[in-house]
Amino acid sequence: MIRLLQGIVTISLLLVLGGCSVHYSATGASIEPGAKTVNVRFIENRAPINNPTLSQNLTERLRTKVQSQTSLVQINEEGADYEFKGSVTGYSFSNAAVTNVDQAATSRLTVTVNITFVKRIGDKKGYSQSFTRSADFSASQLPTTVENGLLENNILPQIVDDIFNKAFANW
């Protein structure tokens, strides 16, 4: 009788747990089970002041992040399961800190990107949001000498992580 009861409980548990599915990922990305494709469109640069390589670098970094952190395949056509499109809307240098003699001690580069994420599968909840990141540098340095380093090492990785996490980790 105890064996029969254990068998019924075991089978019941297997049936109940078999109906549940949770998608785990080592990267923390949550992808819909049927999703196979993504289209990361070219992110245009519409900022009044801009860096000529910013759009290309940002687009490539986002494509690389999505492809390396998910099983999605990049396609360059309408109708992908997930789609990113957007533009750089802000790019500026400003003073971040001033000394007691009204001289800038620290300057700041700030980049703002507006992204629309379209989700054509699952709950279909996409988003449209601006992402802003900045990096400080010594005011004694010329912006042109530090600009590319700030973009490559600080700003672009942070913005790409923000965009990816909002789309796939819901952070």
Side-chain angles (χ1 to χ4, degrees):
M1 181 67 174
I2 293 177
R3 280 235 185 251
L4 179 63
L5 196 53
Q6 286 176 337
I8 291 173
V9 169
T10 302
I11 290 172
S12 297
L13 278 173
L14 288 174
L15 289 174
V16 168
L17 294 177
C20 300
S21 71
V22 177
H23 179 73
Y24 292 102
S25 168
T27 63
S30 177
I31 307 296
E32 295 292 335
K36 304 238 183 298
T37 59
V38 65
N39 183 3
V40 178
R41 291 183 169 201
F42 183 75
I43 299 170
E44 297 178 22
N45 197 337
R46 294 188 179 156
I49 300 172
N50 63 56
N51 179 302
T53 62
L54 178 60
S55 289
Q56 182 67 31
N57 290 343
L58 180 58
T59 303
E60 286 306 315
R61 278 181 177 260
L62 184 55
R63 284 179 180 162
T64 301
K65 174 92 173 176
V66 170
Q67 289 177 331
S68 68
Q69 303 282 317
T70 70
S71 60
L72 299 171
V73 176
Q74 168 70 32
I75 62 170
N76 294 321
E77 55 191 55
E78 294 289 327
D81 297 326
Y82 297 114
E83 182 177 6
F84 292 90
K85 51 189 172 184
S87 59
V88 178
T89 56
Y91 190 89
S92 63
F93 290 94
S94 61
N95 294 330
V98 180
T99 64
N100 61 357
V101 290
D102 293 334
Q103 272 188 313
T106 307
S107 294
R108 176 174 292 153
L109 171 59
T110 303
V111 176
T112 301
V113 180
N114 188 34
I115 295 291
T116 300
F117 174 66
V118 178
K119 189 174 174 185
R120 294 187 178 92
I121 192 164
D123 63 12
K124 299 184 181 180
K125 290 183 181 176
Y127 67 81
S128 185
Q129 181 177 328
S130 288
F131 298 90
T132 301
R133 286 295 183 152
S134 58
D136 294 345
F137 61 97
S138 172
S140 64
Q141 296 177 295
L142 290 173
T144 55
T145 61
V146 297
E147 180 178 15
N148 288 333
L150 293 173
L151 287 171
E152 292 299 315
N153 301 323
N154 298 67
I155 296 173
L156 290 181
Q158 292 173 356
I159 286 179
V160 167
D161 284 347
D162 291 346
I163 295 167
F164 181 87
N165 289 338
K166 176 71 176 172
F168 298 116
N170 201 18
W171 289 6

